[in-house]
Amino acid sequence: MVKILDRNFELSYPKELIAERVKNVAERLNQDYEGKNPVMVCILNGAFMFAADLVRYLTFQPEVVFAKVSSYEGMSSTGCVKELIGVNVDVRARDVIVVEDIVDTGVTMYNLLPQFFSKGAASVKVCTLLQKPECLTVPLKVDYCAMEIPNAFIVGYGLDYNGMGRNYGDIYTVTE
Ligand code: 5GP
């Protein structure tokens, strides 16, 4: 059990399990992108730890770039996506892999992906650490997902609660 600001969180996904799942996703990417040089867009802030671990297992050469979007305040999605730092590489004719921490409603990814197609990307795939499948509200295709989880608010391994808790290696779920 950990306390972050005003809430208690209990351990749900230990670091050993996360490492195993991240490795599985990397192996799938290694098969699909062998010999290619995709642009990997790490979505800040939440995906920094996932991306850092994921890229270490890759056997192809990705170009790793960062973008920052924001749609969450406190413990719920605002439904409106703000792009705070954009992608400044030319994605024309490139394969793009968007690396996200968690797909919840899917609104963030759904709104972000068209820009890569409109800039001429050859392909655009979503690679997320976590997905809450029962929360999806848009027809988003999630291509790579390390772990599917139930609908509850989580922190750790890059994910925050009001800016705190990103540093934990394990993932915790809020208690009622
Ligand atoms: P979506 O647009 O899919 O509803 O939300 C995606 C974003 O919401 C994620 O990138 C993440 O920042 C945030 N988010 C969704 N669920 C959670 C959660 O359980 N915990 C935390 N810390 N952030 C979440």
Side-chain angles (χ1 to χ4, degrees), residues 43 46 71-72 77 81 100-109 132 149 152-155 159-161:
I43 305 298
S71 72
Y72 245 61
S77 180
V81 176
E100 174 66 308
D101 54 355
I102 183 165
V103 173
D104 180 14
T105 63
V107 168
T108 308
M109 281 301 97
K132 298 176 186 168
I149 62 167
F153 186 79
I154 53 139
V155 294
L159 291 102
D160 74 312
Y161 170 49

Side-chain angles (χ1 to χ4, degrees), residues 11 25 35 38 43 48 53 80 82 96-97 102 110 114 124 130-131 149 168-169:
L11 179 64
V25 167
I43 305 298
F48 80 95
D53 284 344
C80 144
K82 281 186 276 185
V96 173
I97 306 169
I102 183 165
Y110 194 69
V124 184
L130 302 155
Q131 182 179 8
I149 62 167
Y168 291 111

